[in-house]
Amino acid sequence: MSWEQHGRETRLKAPGLAVHLDQVVRPDGRPGEVWVTEQPDGALIVPVDDQGRVGMVRSVTYVHGEIVTPPGGHVEPGESPEEAGRRELREEAGLTAREWTALGSVVLGTRNTASLHFFLARGLTLGEQRLTDSEFGMVLEWWEMSDAVKAAYGGRLALSGSSLGILLAAHHLASA
């Protein structure tokens, strides 16, 4: 048996975000309610240059303060995850890449509709950042891969996707 939805009340609707309260019948047959967060998928790109360094962006966020992460962001309507990755890499880091490798995807949570798609970008060309208003002040940094892996294992990358993206890229490169 599976979950069955019998009703939905949208409690919050904002650009790129909706929160619903669903009336459900659980797999065991009991009725219940489940909060569901609906938001767009994301793309996170681990750019690695010819010296094996990782391009990271440092920024100050409203909620978490200063963070360092590989470039990434939302998949816009009509975009594929890779197209979003290419756009975000150019916007946040000023980079374009000749080689793209999909590293996999994860869901953000059991009650969240979004998935996060990971990519390794190689064959990089540096250009100008094209920061949006929400990306104001982002600075590109180059980290040794070993330092990025240590930061991921040490819990020093605030966003969970950042750590997973670094570890997936490092594993892919070590296996190649």
Side-chain angles (χ1 to χ4, degrees):
M1 186 175 203
S2 62
W3 292 79
E4 294 178 30
Q5 178 188 347
H6 291 280
R8 168 168 279 185
E9 181 182 341
T10 300
R11 293 288 184 96
L12 172 67
K13 186 139 181 91
L17 176 70
V19 179
H20 310 287
L21 181 60
D22 289 357
Q23 290 71 45
V24 300
V25 174
R26 300 170 192 264
D28 64 6
R30 293 185 301 138
E33 295 182 330
V34 178
W35 288 96
V36 177
T37 302
E38 184 179 340
Q39 62 188 106
D41 283 0
L44 186 133
I45 309 88
V46 181
V48 177
D49 71 7
D50 293 340
Q51 291 81 44
R53 300 176 304 165
V54 179
M56 304 283 278
V57 290
R58 182 177 299 272
S59 64
V60 178
T61 69
Y62 174 69
V63 175
H64 300 289
E66 186 175 82
I67 63 168
V68 180
T69 181
H74 290 106
V75 177
E76 298 291 341
E79 279 185 318
S80 70
E82 184 177 322
E83 289 168 335
R86 289 178 183 275
R87 177 182 48 76
E88 290 290 348
L89 184 63
R90 186 176 52 253
E91 285 176 5
E92 294 184 359
L95 296 169
T96 56
R98 286 189 320 276
E99 302 169 34
W100 285 80
T101 304
L103 298 173
S105 302
V106 297
V107 295
L108 295 183
T110 60
R111 296 179 182 185
N112 187 305
T113 63
S115 293
L116 182 57
H117 307 275
F118 299 94
F119 297 93
L120 172 65
R122 311 266 337 247
L124 304 175
T125 301
L126 181 60
E128 287 188 39
Q129 290 174 302
R130 298 179 183 169
L131 300 175
T132 65
D133 287 343
S134 66
E135 298 163 340
F136 174 78
M138 282 189 173
V139 177
L140 175 64
E141 300 178 357
W142 291 100
W143 290 28
E144 295 298 326
M145 179 62 84
S146 59
D147 292 335
V149 168
K150 286 176 190 171
Y153 277 118
R156 295 192 317 270
L157 302 178
L159 302 177
S160 59
S162 299
S163 295
L164 183 54
I166 292 294
L167 297 176
L168 287 169
H171 177 75
H172 177 82
L173 292 170
S175 301

